Amino acid sequence: MKQVVIPNTDLKVSNICLGAGNFGDKLNEEEAYQVLDAFISAGGNFIDTAKVYCCWATGDNSSEQYIGRWLKLRNAYQNVMIATKGAHYNLDDQEKRSRVNKKEVAIDLEESLQTLGLDCIGVYYLHRDDNQIPVEEIVDFCEEFVKEGKIRYYAFSNWDIDRAVSALDYAKTTGKKGFVALSNQYSLAYVKKENNMNPDKTLSLTDMDYLAWHKKTGIPLIPYTSVANGFFEKLRNSGAYHNGTAQPELLKNTMSERMIRAFINPCNLKRYEILEELQKEYGYSMIELSLAYLTNHSAPIIPVVSVRSTAQLEPVVRASEIVLPKDVITKLDECSN
């Protein structure tokens, strides 16, 4: 797999990040080990997890637990770069009250360090934002964790652009290192926030203006849901697309009503036409092309991808090496709503 350097860091990572958000949910521990082993064997070294993964399925942080035990068993500490997250709201809290404060983040950080068996975490994300707290306060306590040697770099997830701009400006004007990446939702498949498959209103979606900001600043986007749950592949397999439209009765062959509502729109149907032509020309799968769009973008993007088996990992690994012409990326972007 190709590797890239995260700007403003000394971290050289695979250009596609393995997401561990299903370790304990879709994969048991043995299956997770198989995927991790295959990813490393293929040249991958960037792994994304979080303290909250997969509490909804197991009641605890099974994802970090699996990775921590795998790291110890394989003695793989020097071979991978682990990114994890804290400050997610409590899953049993119906009001989704913010936990973005120094005390709560410190608790999450200490638990992640212990569970993963690490002295220092490579990239530590705040999993959410709290716009009631000044960005200056958040940046300052993240900087303290860096000085304490508990994290090398910090990043933000699910931050809106105005908050990201303010945090970056504050870091620059005060001579602080600042955050090194953002992890918001983004993929080739366009979706309006009100139609998103995940109804959580605390998530942040990347639009074209946000993407232009990433290009301008060089701050990398490390997006989750980066292949839109396999939407374009499912559209192809459904046989529903014909002459610019998608037949509703056939869409149901491969996708849920929620996916149909989220992704069936003029933008994505136009993008699907382009992908079909690329598939004929290059022979790549829809998954491979969806990822290659991200890794070849003029904005710095390192997509996070979760898989359910080593077989699903194979096209991800192949996508890492694909080179697409710049005009293809431009053409796909021109279809944005």
Side-chain angles (χ1 to χ4, degrees), residues 18-269:
L18 178 65
N22 54 10
F23 287 10
D25 185 359
K26 308 300 183 185
L27 287 81
N28 62 32
E29 190 157 354
E30 181 181 354
E31 292 166 336
Y33 284 13
Q34 291 171 359
V35 168
L36 287 165
D37 288 342
F39 183 66
I40 300 306
S41 295
N45 72 334
F46 195 9
I47 300 169
D48 176 88
T49 184
K51 178 181 175 293
V52 76
Y53 300 161
C54 284
C55 292
W56 54 85
T58 61
D60 58 19
N61 59 339
S62 57
S63 179
E64 287 188 334
Q65 289 182 37
Y66 290 6
I67 293 170
R69 289 193 284 266
W70 175 83
L71 285 169
K72 184 176 182 180
L73 184 65
R74 301 289 191 264
N75 192 26
Y77 301 103
Q78 304 303 315
N79 301 328
V80 296
M81 210 294 293
I82 303 293
T84 192
K85 313 176 196 73
H88 195 285
Y89 59 80
N90 291 322
L91 294 182
D92 58 359
D93 184 354
Q94 296 297 319
E95 297 182 15
K96 296 181 172 61
R97 282 168 292 201
S98 171
R99 296 182 58 254
V100 181
N101 60 73
K102 184 180 179 181
K103 180 180 178 181
E104 299 271 17
V105 174
I107 292 171
D108 287 357
L109 176 55
E110 288 297 337
E111 183 172 342
S112 291
L113 285 165
Q114 292 179 23
T115 304
L116 292 165
L118 299 174
D119 296 323
C120 178
I121 291 169
V123 175
Y124 190 76
Y125 293 93
L126 298 191
H127 213 155
R128 291 293 192 274
D129 186 20
D130 183 348
N131 58 20
Q132 300 302 307
I133 299 179
V135 294
E136 294 84 355
E137 180 179 335
I138 296 173
V139 169
D140 285 348
F141 72 65
C142 287
E143 292 283 333
E144 289 182 33
F145 294 131
V146 173
K147 290 178 181 177
E148 291 170 4
K150 295 178 179 179
I151 59 177
R152 291 175 69 184
Y153 302 99
Y154 60 94
F156 299 145
S157 183
N158 296 300
W159 275 52
D160 291 337
I161 189 169
D162 59 333
R163 296 277 290 176
V165 168
S166 296
L168 186 62
D169 287 347
Y170 171 67
K172 285 183 175 180
T173 58
T174 55
K176 294 179 170 62
K177 186 174 294 186
F179 67 95
V180 300
L182 285 164
S183 182
N184 291 339
Q185 183 174 325
Y186 187 67
S187 74
L188 179 58
Y190 171 78
V191 59
K192 292 182 179 179
K193 187 166 186 175
E194 60 267 26
N195 294 332
N196 200 17
M197 287 185 66
N198 189 330
D200 187 344
K201 301 302 182 184
T202 66
L203 302 180
S204 289
L205 279 63
T206 301
D207 58 19
M208 296 308 293
D209 288 339
Y210 213 151
L211 201 62
W213 178 85
H214 281 282
K215 181 179 179 180
K216 177 183 177 182
T217 62
I219 298 290
L221 171 64
I222 306 182
Y224 57 88
T225 321
S226 64
V227 293
N229 301 94
F231 165 71
F232 288 110
E233 190 78 21
K234 290 176 180 178
L235 179 56
R236 178 182 181 277
N237 292 338
S238 72
Y241 180 81
H242 184 68
N243 289 339
T245 62
Q247 301 176 49
E249 66 277 9
L250 294 180
L251 288 173
K252 296 176 182 178
N253 292 337
T254 59
M255 60 185 76
S256 66
E257 290 287 350
R258 183 180 291 180
M259 177 173 279
I260 293 170
R261 184 173 61 253
F263 297 121
I264 295 298
N265 55 58
C267 174
N268 289 335
L269 294 182

